Amino acid sequence: MTERRDGILGIFHHSDAVEEAVAGLRAQKPADITVYAPLPHHDIEHALDRPESPVRVYTLVGGLTGAATGFAMPIWMSLDYPLITGGKPIISLPPFVIIAFELAILFGALATVLGLVLNAFVFKPKATYAYDPSFSAGSFGVFVVPAEGRGDEVRSVLERAGAAEIRAEVAHA
């Protein structure tokens, strides 16, 4: 069953006003801020200052594991069944670089997919939904779940930022 969350929804016509509102709201440290935009807007993402995705760590660990495996496996096989040809050393790293590179890409890609699946479905944060159809028609929205007893402060920040409409909204998490 979905959880209901009472909050305040501000509708804006300009992205600059949304950035100003988010900066003012972050100073108050509300419980939750959700921004709706008709298109991706990187300045708003920077204003929200969300943590970076941990998927890149999965990719790095997978790539390093693949590279280590790409060197360890041929070295182990060469030592287990040595072929001495033309007086060349049994363990010669330059030919193993190709295998290490290919396994680094393979393991990195597989680890990235695993990280995406884990972060999208297993460790999924709860999202709040307080949507208005005008967000698809060019308007921006800021939905805020204020801390206990701080709703008036949130409303004043949204008004100062230039919200076209401010209303109480019930969101579902």
PDB file of all heavy atoms in Angstrom, residues 97-124:
ATOM      1  N   VAL A  97      48.408  -8.446 -22.246  1.00  0.00           N
ATOM      2  CA  VAL A  97      47.716  -7.163 -22.122  1.00  0.00           C
ATOM      3  C   VAL A  97      46.414  -7.172 -22.915  1.00  0.00           C
ATOM      4  O   VAL A  97      45.395  -6.620 -22.472  1.00  0.00           O
ATOM      5  CB  VAL A  97      48.641  -6.005 -22.582  1.00  0.00           C
ATOM      6  CG1 VAL A  97      47.876  -4.699 -22.694  1.00  0.00           C
ATOM      7  CG2 VAL A  97      49.801  -5.856 -21.624  1.00  0.00           C
ATOM      8  N   ILE A  98      46.417  -7.820 -24.066  1.00  0.00           N
ATOM      9  CA  ILE A  98      45.200  -7.876 -24.892  1.00  0.00           C
ATOM     10  C   ILE A  98      44.097  -8.623 -24.150  1.00  0.00           C
ATOM     11  O   ILE A  98      42.950  -8.178 -24.100  1.00  0.00           O
ATOM     12  CB  ILE A  98      45.513  -8.553 -26.238  1.00  0.00           C
ATOM     13  CG1 ILE A  98      46.538  -7.715 -27.001  1.00  0.00           C
ATOM     14  CG2 ILE A  98      44.240  -8.752 -27.051  1.00  0.00           C
ATOM     15  CD1 ILE A  98      47.139  -8.403 -28.185  1.00  0.00           C
ATOM     16  N   ILE A  99      44.440  -9.741 -23.553  1.00  0.00           N
ATOM     17  CA  ILE A  99      43.451 -10.522 -22.807  1.00  0.00           C
ATOM     18  C   ILE A  99      42.965  -9.732 -21.597  1.00  0.00           C
ATOM     19  O   ILE A  99      41.763  -9.701 -21.297  1.00  0.00           O
ATOM     20  CB  ILE A  99      44.059 -11.878 -22.380  1.00  0.00           C
ATOM     21  CG1 ILE A  99      44.445 -12.679 -23.617  1.00  0.00           C
ATOM     22  CG2 ILE A  99      43.092 -12.660 -21.509  1.00  0.00           C
ATOM     23  CD1 ILE A  99      45.312 -13.875 -23.335  1.00  0.00           C
ATOM     24  N   ALA A 100      43.886  -9.064 -20.903  1.00  0.00           N
ATOM     25  CA  ALA A 100      43.506  -8.272 -19.729  1.00  0.00           C
ATOM     26  C   ALA A 100      42.575  -7.129 -20.133  1.00  0.00           C
ATOM     27  O   ALA A 100      41.593  -6.846 -19.440  1.00  0.00           O
ATOM     28  CB  ALA A 100      44.747  -7.730 -19.041  1.00  0.00           C
ATOM     29  N   PHE A 101      42.850  -6.478 -21.246  1.00  0.00           N
ATOM     30  CA  PHE A 101      42.007  -5.384 -21.728  1.00  0.00           C
ATOM     31  C   PHE A 101      40.600  -5.873 -22.053  1.00  0.00           C
ATOM     32  O   PHE A 101      39.596  -5.272 -21.651  1.00  0.00           O
ATOM     33  CB  PHE A 101      42.644  -4.738 -22.962  1.00  0.00           C
ATOM     34  CG  PHE A 101      41.808  -3.673 -23.583  1.00  0.00           C
ATOM     35  CD1 PHE A 101      41.671  -2.433 -22.983  1.00  0.00           C
ATOM     36  CD2 PHE A 101      41.151  -3.906 -24.782  1.00  0.00           C
ATOM     37  CE1 PHE A 101      40.891  -1.441 -23.558  1.00  0.00           C
ATOM     38  CE2 PHE A 101      40.367  -2.925 -25.369  1.00  0.00           C
ATOM     39  CZ  PHE A 101      40.241  -1.693 -24.755  1.00  0.00           C
ATOM     40  N   GLU A 102      40.519  -6.990 -22.771  1.00  0.00           N
ATOM     41  CA  GLU A 102      39.200  -7.519 -23.156  1.00  0.00           C
ATOM     42  C   GLU A 102      38.401  -7.957 -21.930  1.00  0.00           C
ATOM     43  O   GLU A 102      37.201  -7.703 -21.844  1.00  0.00           O
ATOM     44  CB  GLU A 102      39.368  -8.697 -24.120  1.00  0.00           C
ATOM     45  CG  GLU A 102      39.932  -8.309 -25.464  1.00  0.00           C
ATOM     46  CD  GLU A 102      39.019  -7.396 -26.253  1.00  0.00           C
ATOM     47  OE1 GLU A 102      37.791  -7.444 -26.046  1.00  0.00           O
ATOM     48  OE2 GLU A 102      39.528  -6.627 -27.083  1.00  0.00           O
ATOM     49  N   LEU A 103      39.049  -8.600 -20.964  1.00  0.00           N
ATOM     50  CA  LEU A 103      38.332  -9.028 -19.762  1.00  0.00           C
ATOM     51  C   LEU A 103      37.963  -7.842 -18.872  1.00  0.00           C
ATOM     52  O   LEU A 103      36.953  -7.883 -18.180  1.00  0.00           O
ATOM     53  CB  LEU A 103      39.140 -10.060 -18.990  1.00  0.00           C
ATOM     54  CG  LEU A 103      39.182 -11.463 -19.622  1.00  0.00           C
ATOM     55  CD1 LEU A 103      40.005 -12.414 -18.770  1.00  0.00           C
ATOM     56  CD2 LEU A 103      37.791 -12.015 -19.823  1.00  0.00           C
ATOM     57  N   ALA A 104      38.781  -6.790 -18.887  1.00  0.00           N
ATOM     58  CA  ALA A 104      38.431  -5.587 -18.129  1.00  0.00           C
ATOM     59  C   ALA A 104      37.145  -4.972 -18.684  1.00  0.00           C
ATOM     60  O   ALA A 104      36.252  -4.570 -17.926  1.00  0.00           O
ATOM     61  CB  ALA A 104      39.565  -4.568 -18.174  1.00  0.00           C
ATOM     62  N   ILE A 105      37.017  -4.919 -19.999  1.00  0.00           N
ATOM     63  CA  ILE A 105      35.799  -4.379 -20.608  1.00  0.00           C
ATOM     64  C   ILE A 105      34.612  -5.294 -20.323  1.00  0.00           C
ATOM     65  O   ILE A 105      33.526  -4.830 -19.955  1.00  0.00           O
ATOM     66  CB  ILE A 105      35.997  -4.176 -22.116  1.00  0.00           C
ATOM     67  CG1 ILE A 105      36.993  -3.042 -22.343  1.00  0.00           C
ATOM     68  CG2 ILE A 105      34.669  -3.883 -22.808  1.00  0.00           C
ATOM     69  CD1 ILE A 105      37.355  -2.820 -23.773  1.00  0.00           C
ATOM     70  N   LEU A 106      34.786  -6.591 -20.462  1.00  0.00           N
ATOM     71  CA  LEU A 106      33.695  -7.538 -20.227  1.00  0.00           C
ATOM     72  C   LEU A 106      33.215  -7.483 -18.780  1.00  0.00           C
ATOM     73  O   LEU A 106      32.013  -7.329 -18.516  1.00  0.00           O
ATOM     74  CB  LEU A 106      34.142  -8.958 -20.569  1.00  0.00           C
ATOM     75  CG  LEU A 106      33.135 -10.065 -20.258  1.00  0.00           C
ATOM     76  CD1 LEU A 106      31.907  -9.911 -21.138  1.00  0.00           C
ATOM     77  CD2 LEU A 106      33.767 -11.428 -20.425  1.00  0.00           C
ATOM     78  N   PHE A 107      34.146  -7.596 -17.829  1.00  0.00           N
ATOM     79  CA  PHE A 107      33.756  -7.580 -16.413  1.00  0.00           C
ATOM     80  C   PHE A 107      33.191  -6.217 -16.013  1.00  0.00           C
ATOM     81  O   PHE A 107      32.267  -6.138 -15.211  1.00  0.00           O
ATOM     82  CB  PHE A 107      34.948  -7.935 -15.529  1.00  0.00           C
ATOM     83  CG  PHE A 107      35.277  -9.405 -15.476  1.00  0.00           C
ATOM     84  CD1 PHE A 107      35.071 -10.235 -16.555  1.00  0.00           C
ATOM     85  CD2 PHE A 107      35.803  -9.945 -14.326  1.00  0.00           C
ATOM     86  CE1 PHE A 107      35.390 -11.584 -16.492  1.00  0.00           C
ATOM     87  CE2 PHE A 107      36.125 -11.295 -14.249  1.00  0.00           C
ATOM     88  CZ  PHE A 107      35.916 -12.105 -15.343  1.00  0.00           C
ATOM     89  N   GLY A 108      33.755  -5.142 -16.553  1.00  0.00           N
ATOM     90  CA  GLY A 108      33.244  -3.808 -16.255  1.00  0.00           C
ATOM     91  C   GLY A 108      31.817  -3.628 -16.749  1.00  0.00           C
ATOM     92  O   GLY A 108      30.976  -3.069 -16.048  1.00  0.00           O
ATOM     93  N   ALA A 109      31.529  -4.115 -17.957  1.00  0.00           N
ATOM     94  CA  ALA A 109      30.173  -4.003 -18.496  1.00  0.00           C
ATOM     95  C   ALA A 109      29.193  -4.846 -17.687  1.00  0.00           C
ATOM     96  O   ALA A 109      28.087  -4.396 -17.365  1.00  0.00           O
ATOM     97  CB  ALA A 109      30.157  -4.430 -19.961  1.00  0.00           C
ATOM     98  N   LEU A 110      29.578  -6.060 -17.346  1.00  0.00           N
ATOM     99  CA  LEU A 110      28.698  -6.925 -16.551  1.00  0.00           C
ATOM    100  C   LEU A 110      28.462  -6.341 -15.155  1.00  0.00           C
ATOM    101  O   LEU A 110      27.345  -6.398 -14.635  1.00  0.00           O
ATOM    102  CB  LEU A 110      29.278  -8.335 -16.457  1.00  0.00           C
ATOM    103  CG  LEU A 110      29.305  -9.128 -17.773  1.00  0.00           C
ATOM    104  CD1 LEU A 110      30.013 -10.464 -17.572  1.00  0.00           C
ATOM    105  CD2 LEU A 110      27.917  -9.323 -18.328  1.00  0.00           C
ATOM    106  N   ALA A 111      29.499  -5.779 -14.554  1.00  0.00           N
ATOM    107  CA  ALA A 111      29.346  -5.169 -13.231  1.00  0.00           C
ATOM    108  C   ALA A 111      28.471  -3.921 -13.303  1.00  0.00           C
ATOM    109  O   ALA A 111      27.708  -3.634 -12.371  1.00  0.00           O
ATOM    110  CB  ALA A 111      30.713  -4.819 -12.648  1.00  0.00           C
ATOM    111  N   THR A 112      28.544  -3.180 -14.405  1.00  0.00           N
ATOM    112  CA  THR A 112      27.690  -2.012 -14.574  1.00  0.00           C
ATOM    113  C   THR A 112      26.221  -2.419 -14.646  1.00  0.00           C
ATOM    114  O   THR A 112      25.365  -1.806 -14.003  1.00  0.00           O
ATOM    115  CB  THR A 112      28.073  -1.239 -15.850  1.00  0.00           C
ATOM    116  OG1 THR A 112      29.441  -0.849 -15.743  1.00  0.00           O
ATOM    117  CG2 THR A 112      27.201  -0.016 -16.043  1.00  0.00           C
ATOM    118  N   VAL A 113      25.931  -3.453 -15.404  1.00  0.00           N
ATOM    119  CA  VAL A 113      24.550  -3.939 -15.500  1.00  0.00           C
ATOM    120  C   VAL A 113      24.075  -4.425 -14.135  1.00  0.00           C
ATOM    121  O   VAL A 113      22.953  -4.136 -13.706  1.00  0.00           O
ATOM    122  CB  VAL A 113      24.435  -5.047 -16.569  1.00  0.00           C
ATOM    123  CG1 VAL A 113      23.078  -5.723 -16.519  1.00  0.00           C
ATOM    124  CG2 VAL A 113      24.693  -4.472 -17.953  1.00  0.00           C
ATOM    125  N   LEU A 114      24.929  -5.150 -13.423  1.00  0.00           N
ATOM    126  CA  LEU A 114      24.579  -5.616 -12.080  1.00  0.00           C
ATOM    127  C   LEU A 114      24.317  -4.429 -11.146  1.00  0.00           C
ATOM    128  O   LEU A 114      23.337  -4.420 -10.399  1.00  0.00           O
ATOM    129  CB  LEU A 114      25.698  -6.495 -11.505  1.00  0.00           C
ATOM    130  CG  LEU A 114      25.505  -6.959 -10.074  1.00  0.00           C
ATOM    131  CD1 LEU A 114      24.366  -7.971  -9.996  1.00  0.00           C
ATOM    132  CD2 LEU A 114      26.786  -7.545  -9.530  1.00  0.00           C
ATOM    133  N   GLY A 115      25.165  -3.403 -11.202  1.00  0.00           N
ATOM    134  CA  GLY A 115      24.977  -2.215 -10.371  1.00  0.00           C
ATOM    135  C   GLY A 115      23.694  -1.483 -10.706  1.00  0.00           C
ATOM    136  O   GLY A 115      22.997  -0.997  -9.809  1.00  0.00           O
ATOM    137  N   LEU A 116      23.377  -1.383 -11.994  1.00  0.00           N
ATOM    138  CA  LEU A 116      22.125  -0.736 -12.389  1.00  0.00           C
ATOM    139  C   LEU A 116      20.917  -1.491 -11.864  1.00  0.00           C
ATOM    140  O   LEU A 116      19.975  -0.899 -11.336  1.00  0.00           O
ATOM    141  CB  LEU A 116      22.043  -0.637 -13.915  1.00  0.00           C
ATOM    142  CG  LEU A 116      22.923   0.414 -14.565  1.00  0.00           C
ATOM    143  CD1 LEU A 116      22.943   0.236 -16.079  1.00  0.00           C
ATOM    144  CD2 LEU A 116      22.439   1.798 -14.217  1.00  0.00           C
ATOM    145  N   VAL A 117      20.942  -2.812 -11.988  1.00  0.00           N
ATOM    146  CA  VAL A 117      19.816  -3.620 -11.514  1.00  0.00           C
ATOM    147  C   VAL A 117      19.681  -3.513  -9.998  1.00  0.00           C
ATOM    148  O   VAL A 117      18.586  -3.333  -9.462  1.00  0.00           O
ATOM    149  CB  VAL A 117      19.978  -5.085 -11.963  1.00  0.00           C
ATOM    150  CG1 VAL A 117      19.002  -5.996 -11.254  1.00  0.00           C
ATOM    151  CG2 VAL A 117      19.809  -5.189 -13.471  1.00  0.00           C
ATOM    152  N   LEU A 118      20.800  -3.609  -9.292  1.00  0.00           N
ATOM    153  CA  LEU A 118      20.748  -3.529  -7.828  1.00  0.00           C
ATOM    154  C   LEU A 118      20.237  -2.170  -7.362  1.00  0.00           C
ATOM    155  O   LEU A 118      19.396  -2.086  -6.467  1.00  0.00           O
ATOM    156  CB  LEU A 118      22.124  -3.804  -7.227  1.00  0.00           C
ATOM    157  CG  LEU A 118      22.590  -5.250  -7.252  1.00  0.00           C
ATOM    158  CD1 LEU A 118      24.014  -5.353  -6.715  1.00  0.00           C
ATOM    159  CD2 LEU A 118      21.666  -6.143  -6.459  1.00  0.00           C
ATOM    160  N   ASN A 119      20.730  -1.095  -7.961  1.00  0.00           N
ATOM    161  CA  ASN A 119      20.318   0.240  -7.519  1.00  0.00           C
ATOM    162  C   ASN A 119      18.924   0.624  -7.999  1.00  0.00           C
ATOM    163  O   ASN A 119      18.284   1.470  -7.391  1.00  0.00           O
ATOM    164  CB  ASN A 119      21.333   1.286  -7.973  1.00  0.00           C
ATOM    165  CG  ASN A 119      22.579   1.230  -7.151  1.00  0.00           C
ATOM    166  OD1 ASN A 119      22.527   1.269  -5.932  1.00  0.00           O
ATOM    167  ND2 ASN A 119      23.715   1.099  -7.802  1.00  0.00           N
ATOM    168  N   ALA A 120      18.455   0.019  -9.068  1.00  0.00           N
ATOM    169  CA  ALA A 120      17.130   0.353  -9.569  1.00  0.00           C
ATOM    170  C   ALA A 120      16.024  -0.442  -8.889  1.00  0.00           C
ATOM    171  O   ALA A 120      14.926   0.065  -8.709  1.00  0.00           O
ATOM    172  CB  ALA A 120      17.068   0.129 -11.077  1.00  0.00           C
ATOM    173  N   PHE A 121      16.325  -1.673  -8.499  1.00  0.00           N
ATOM    174  CA  PHE A 121      15.256  -2.528  -7.983  1.00  0.00           C
ATOM    175  C   PHE A 121      15.456  -2.970  -6.536  1.00  0.00           C
ATOM    176  O   PHE A 121      14.486  -3.124  -5.810  1.00  0.00           O
ATOM    177  CB  PHE A 121      15.104  -3.770  -8.867  1.00  0.00           C
ATOM    178  CG  PHE A 121      14.717  -3.433 -10.267  1.00  0.00           C
ATOM    179  CD1 PHE A 121      15.593  -3.629 -11.307  1.00  0.00           C
ATOM    180  CD2 PHE A 121      13.479  -2.889 -10.551  1.00  0.00           C
ATOM    181  CE1 PHE A 121      15.250  -3.311 -12.608  1.00  0.00           C
ATOM    182  CE2 PHE A 121      13.120  -2.559 -11.843  1.00  0.00           C
ATOM    183  CZ  PHE A 121      14.009  -2.777 -12.874  1.00  0.00           C
ATOM    184  N   VAL A 122      16.677  -3.181  -6.114  1.00  0.00           N
ATOM    185  CA  VAL A 122      16.912  -3.709  -4.768  1.00  0.00           C
ATOM    186  C   VAL A 122      17.068  -2.586  -3.750  1.00  0.00           C
ATOM    187  O   VAL A 122      16.393  -2.558  -2.722  1.00  0.00           O
ATOM    188  CB  VAL A 122      18.152  -4.637  -4.756  1.00  0.00           C
ATOM    189  CG1 VAL A 122      18.418  -5.146  -3.367  1.00  0.00           C
ATOM    190  CG2 VAL A 122      17.950  -5.800  -5.714  1.00  0.00           C
ATOM    191  N   PHE A 123      17.956  -1.630  -4.018  1.00  0.00           N
ATOM    192  CA  PHE A 123      18.230  -0.537  -3.082  1.00  0.00           C
ATOM    193  C   PHE A 123      17.476   0.721  -3.495  1.00  0.00           C
ATOM    194  O   PHE A 123      17.978   1.829  -3.360  1.00  0.00           O
ATOM    195  CB  PHE A 123      19.725  -0.235  -3.026  1.00  0.00           C
ATOM    196  CG  PHE A 123      20.569  -1.429  -2.720  1.00  0.00           C
ATOM    197  CD1 PHE A 123      21.572  -1.842  -3.580  1.00  0.00           C
ATOM    198  CD2 PHE A 123      20.370  -2.157  -1.568  1.00  0.00           C
ATOM    199  CE1 PHE A 123      22.352  -2.931  -3.299  1.00  0.00           C
ATOM    200  CE2 PHE A 123      21.145  -3.258  -1.268  1.00  0.00           C
ATOM    201  CZ  PHE A 123      22.140  -3.649  -2.144  1.00  0.00           C
ATOM    202  N   LYS A 124      16.283   0.573  -4.013  1.00  0.00           N
ATOM    203  CA  LYS A 124      15.517   1.686  -4.570  1.00  0.00           C
ATOM    204  C   LYS A 124      15.027   2.618  -3.466  1.00  0.00           C
ATOM    205  O   LYS A 124      14.371   2.170  -2.525  1.00  0.00           O
ATOM    206  CB  LYS A 124      14.330   1.125  -5.345  1.00  0.00           C
ATOM    207  CG  LYS A 124      13.431   2.167  -5.942  1.00  0.00           C
ATOM    208  CD  LYS A 124      12.409   1.576  -6.887  1.00  0.00           C
ATOM    209  CE  LYS A 124      11.527   0.564  -6.228  1.00  0.00           C
ATOM    210  NZ  LYS A 124      10.437   0.125  -7.096  1.00  0.00           N
TER     211      LYS A 124
END
